[in-house]
């Protein structure tokens, strides 16, 4: 049976949490009395279903079940965790906590608040220890950071439970050392926001020019190395001490206005909104969201390939889910190794997935199997790998933009030096293509075949023995143009 979370508040943040839990196999009950809640959550789910599978290199778990509760008590029934995402009004949050703890005082409540400390959220609560800050960033279903901020009332066990839950859904829990308003990420954003408003108000730059300055320079650097690592590099071989000596005096210069804020009035709102509309008002907000998500997927996949930043979180989440996915079924049948989604860059001039991407998908399936038997990148770093000696693709269907593709792997034969396997790419029950391959195990330094390591064979050969009793897939051993019989 699936684990269950309750989401209180179905706006952009609550909808994002709903999508993250659902796509990681949790059931979710949403409570929001607003008339547009179900529609808003549906929009977030649609965006997430397009983007999230493209980040994963292992099969996604079966999607959980979402329900919309008529009452808060109904939403909490059977839930082990609640994510509160109502408006940033402290009195409203207190009323919501009172209702939740009246229904279930023992349930763990995480708040999506962007600024309130846990000690403020807990005031007047029946069970203050069970209320904690779990602050995400938009889009919640893609960005991994979750800032966890606790008060003295929160026990180490409560903090660890929160860490474990957000880790289970692929997030990066950052536990605050001390309570502070707005935590870490939002304080940075507030500082940049204030300075941007001054430059806008003083006529120094437009909204588009400010955005260009971010996205064409340090925004790209921050995605991979943050603030301090980048400045360490800026110090050259002498490192951070040299950087501090060179740029430290600038702290006394009147470069910024971070200690002051422009007056918030209709003139400022009109200035910001007017320029923002001129900058990107030609695109509907839904199109902007999807563009943002596609760009984030591209950036995060690049980081994933190098195992840095958010990519490191994605890799770790894949590893946990891969182990859970194949537990107990390694030798029983052909293995479902991957689930992928056809992305815009995979499409040719005919509107179909281009031929090279079928090979890419096959490689993803094969690589997932190699990781499963221990022939992963650490194994390659040790000087050994499986090389593809021969491939044969048979196209049976046409994959189109947005299609979900499942990769199935069957071992035809394996011994110490060879791995003969058959990959089936499917859209639902429909076979799109089959790829038969022969791989040889190689000593990379010698450039010759050799026996695989004992620990790899210990995982591979039992699977091969079990698959030896399976029917041969249709098309096995077929040469180009040969009959399919």
């Amino acid at each position: 049976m699936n684990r269950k979370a309750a989401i209180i508040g179905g706006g952009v943040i609550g909808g994002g949490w709903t999508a993250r839990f659902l796509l990681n196999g949790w059931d979710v009950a949403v409570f929001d009395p607003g008339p547009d809640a179900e529609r808003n959550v549906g929009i977030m789910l649609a965006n997430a279903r397009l983007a999230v599978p493209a980040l994963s290199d292992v099969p996604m778990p079966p999607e959980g079940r979402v329900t919309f509760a008529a009452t808060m008590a109904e939403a909490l029934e059977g839930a082990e965790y609640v994510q509160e995402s109502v408006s940033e009004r402290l009195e409203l949050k207190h009323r919501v906590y009172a209702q939740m703890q009246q229904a279930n005082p023992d349930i763990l409540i995480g708040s999506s608040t962007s600024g309130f400390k846990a000690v403020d959220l807990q005031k007047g609560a029946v069970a203050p220890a069970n209320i904690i800050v779990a602050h995400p960033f938009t889009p919640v279903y893609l960005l991994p950071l979750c800032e966890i901020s606790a008060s003295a009332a929160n026990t180490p066990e409560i903090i660890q439970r929160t860490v474990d839950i957000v880790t289970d859904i692929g997030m990066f829990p950052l536990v605050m050392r001390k309570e502070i308003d707005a935590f870490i990420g939002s304080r940075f954003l507030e500082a940049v926001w204030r300075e941007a408003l001054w430059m806008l108000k003083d006529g120094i730059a437009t909204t588009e020019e400010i955005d260009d300055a971010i996205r064409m320079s340090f925004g790209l650097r921050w995605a991979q190395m943050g603030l301090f690592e980048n400045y360490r590099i800026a110090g050259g071989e002498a490192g951070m001490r040299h950087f501090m000596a060179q740029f430290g005096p600038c702290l006394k210069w009147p470069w910024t206005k971070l200690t002051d804020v422009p007056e918030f009035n209709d003139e400022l709102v009109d200035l910001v909104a007017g320029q923002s509309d001129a900058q990107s008002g030609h695109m509907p907000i839904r199109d902007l969201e999807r563009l943002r998500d596609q760009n984030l997927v591209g950036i995060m996949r690049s980081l994933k390939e190098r195992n840095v930043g958010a990519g490191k979180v994605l890799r770790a989440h894949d590893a946990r889910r891969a182990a859970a996915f194949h537990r107990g079924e390694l030798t029983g049948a052909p293995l479902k190794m991957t689930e992928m989604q056809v992305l815009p860059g995979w499409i040719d001039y005919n509107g179909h997935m281009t031929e090279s991407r079928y090979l890419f998908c096959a490689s993803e399936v094969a690589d997932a199997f190699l990781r499963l038997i221990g022939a992963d990148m650490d194994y390659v770093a040790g000087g050994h790998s499986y090389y593809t000696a021969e491939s044969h693709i048979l196209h049976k269907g046409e994959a189109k933009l947005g299609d979900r593709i499942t990769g199935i792997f069957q071992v035809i034969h394996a011994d110490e030096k060879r791995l003969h396997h058959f990959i089936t790419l499917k859209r639902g029950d429909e076979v799109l293509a089959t790829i038969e391959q022969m791989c040889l195990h190689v000593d990379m330094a010698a450039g010759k075949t050799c026996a695989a390591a004992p620990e790899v064979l210990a995982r591979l050969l039992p699977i091969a023995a079990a698959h030896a009793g399976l029917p041969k897939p249709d098309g096995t051993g077929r040469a180009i143009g040969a009959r399919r019989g």
Side-chain angles (χ1 to χ4, degrees):
M1 191 171 69
N2 290 340
R3 303 170 77 179
K4 179 184 175 182
I7 307 296
I8 310 301
V12 172
I13 303 298
W17 276 110
T18 300
R20 183 172 274 278
F21 274 105
L22 275 176
L23 295 182
N24 281 281
W26 286 56
D27 291 337
V28 178
V30 180
F31 174 71
D32 187 325
D36 296 327
E38 192 163 347
R39 172 185 171 273
N40 293 336
V41 170
I43 289 169
M44 290 296 106
L45 273 174
N47 285 348
R49 286 174 179 138
L50 284 173
V52 174
L55 289 175
S56 181
D57 293 311
V58 299
M60 297 289 292
E63 188 174 305
R65 177 171 172 263
V66 61
T67 56
F68 292 86
T71 65
M72 199 175 300
E74 180 186 333
L76 267 59
E77 188 175 345
E80 65 174 276
Y81 178 75
V82 182
Q83 187 69 33
E84 169 271 304
S85 301
V86 303
S87 300
E88 286 288 272
R89 303 201 311 273
L90 193 56
E91 72 282 0
L92 172 62
K93 292 181 183 290
H94 285 162
R95 289 202 304 271
V96 168
Y97 300 151
Q99 292 179 53
M100 284 194 281
Q101 293 194 329
Q102 184 178 15
N104 184 351
D106 296 325
I107 198 159
L108 176 58
I109 302 169
S111 176
S112 300
T113 179
S114 296
F116 294 124
K117 295 183 295 224
V119 69
D120 297 323
L121 299 174
Q122 295 163 352
K123 286 179 181 176
V126 172
N130 293 334
I131 301 171
I132 194 168
V133 170
H135 172 238
F137 287 79
T138 306
V140 181
Y141 50 81
L142 283 182
L143 297 185
L145 181 62
C146 183
E147 294 178 314
I148 296 173
S149 181
S151 77
N154 297 119
T155 64
E157 291 75 19
I158 288 292
I159 296 171
Q160 189 59 49
R161 277 184 61 198
T162 310
V163 166
D164 291 343
I165 286 170
V166 300
T167 300
D168 185 73
I169 58 174
M171 301 189 84
F172 178 78
L174 181 60
V175 180
M176 298 281 298
R177 293 174 178 270
K178 296 182 179 180
E179 280 203 283
I180 186 172
D181 292 320
F183 326 119
I184 298 174
S186 293
R187 291 176 77 92
F188 275 122
L189 291 176
E190 175 67 13
V192 175
W193 175 244
R194 289 186 183 208
E195 189 61 26
L197 289 179
W198 272 120
M199 285 193 276
L200 197 66
K201 187 176 185 300
D202 291 344
I204 294 167
T206 65
T207 58
E208 185 169 12
E209 290 163 352
I210 292 169
D211 284 349
D212 284 343
I214 295 170
R215 60 191 172 202
M216 301 297 177
S217 62
F218 60 85
L220 294 170
R221 297 190 318 212
W222 282 4
Q224 53 180 315
M225 290 187 177
L227 182 68
F228 286 97
E229 270 194 340
N230 271 296
Y231 281 162
R232 179 180 181 84
I233 293 171
E237 293 182 357
M240 182 60 85
R241 289 187 181 278
H242 176 68
F243 174 83
M244 292 293 289
Q246 187 174 9
F247 292 99
C250 301
L251 295 174
K252 297 180 180 180
W253 299 350
W255 276 5
T256 70
K257 295 186 177 182
L258 292 181
T259 57
D260 196 6
V261 292
E263 182 182 355
F264 184 79
N265 53 30
D266 291 342
E267 181 183 0
L268 182 63
V269 171
D270 290 343
L271 179 64
V272 176
Q275 289 195 17
S276 180
D277 289 345
Q279 176 184 349
S280 52
H282 62 286
M283 291 185 70
I285 192 67
R286 302 282 84 92
D287 290 349
L288 276 174
E289 287 174 343
R290 285 187 284 271
L291 177 62
R292 173 204 62 192
D293 290 356
Q294 290 167 5
N295 291 337
L296 283 172
V297 167
I299 293 168
M300 291 167 73
R301 282 210 66 93
S302 178
L303 296 174
K304 186 179 184 182
E305 290 175 10
R306 292 155 183 82
N307 201 28
V308 296
K312 197 169 186 177
V313 181
L314 293 173
R315 275 202 185 188
H317 192 44
D318 271 4
R320 287 190 298 270
R321 289 196 294 106
F325 184 82
H326 292 292
R327 188 178 295 124
E329 57 176 82
L330 288 180
T331 59
L335 299 173
K336 184 170 81 166
M337 296 306 309
T338 62
E339 286 186 352
M340 297 161 281
Q341 187 163 23
V342 180
L343 302 176
W346 296 17
I347 299 300
D348 64 15
Y349 45 82
N350 293 317
H352 306 145
M353 187 166 80
T354 188
E355 184 176 358
S356 64
R357 285 295 172 177
Y358 285 92
L359 279 172
F360 169 80
C361 290
S363 294
E364 292 293 290
V365 178
D367 284 351
F369 181 79
L370 293 178
R371 288 194 294 270
L372 183 67
I373 63 173
D376 53 14
M377 292 307 297
D378 289 337
Y379 189 72
V380 173
H384 295 88
S385 183
Y386 279 92
Y387 283 10
T388 303
E390 187 174 348
S391 293
H392 180 265
I393 301 179
L394 181 61
H395 296 274
K396 295 188 173 185
E398 297 173 345
K400 299 180 180 179
L401 181 65
D403 284 351
R404 301 284 180 92
I405 298 178
T406 301
I408 309 294
F409 190 97
Q410 181 174 339
V411 178
I412 305 301
H413 172 78
D415 56 33
E416 290 185 339
K417 296 183 179 181
R418 292 177 297 179
L419 172 58
H420 179 193
H421 59 264
F422 194 90
I423 293 168
T424 305
L425 301 179
K426 301 177 74 174
R427 176 178 53 208
D429 294 329
E430 178 191 0
V431 176
L432 294 172
T434 61
I435 302 94
E436 185 177 2
Q437 294 183 314
M438 175 65 76
C439 292
L440 302 177
H441 187 269
V442 174
D443 180 325
M444 297 164 67
K448 297 180 179 179
T449 59
C450 68
E455 61 270 21
V456 170
L457 293 174
R459 298 178 186 179
L460 170 61
L461 296 181
I463 300 174
H467 285 195
L470 297 172
K472 290 285 180 67
D474 181 32
T476 306
R478 181 173 180 266
I480 292 177
R483 292 183 180 274
R484 296 192 181 190

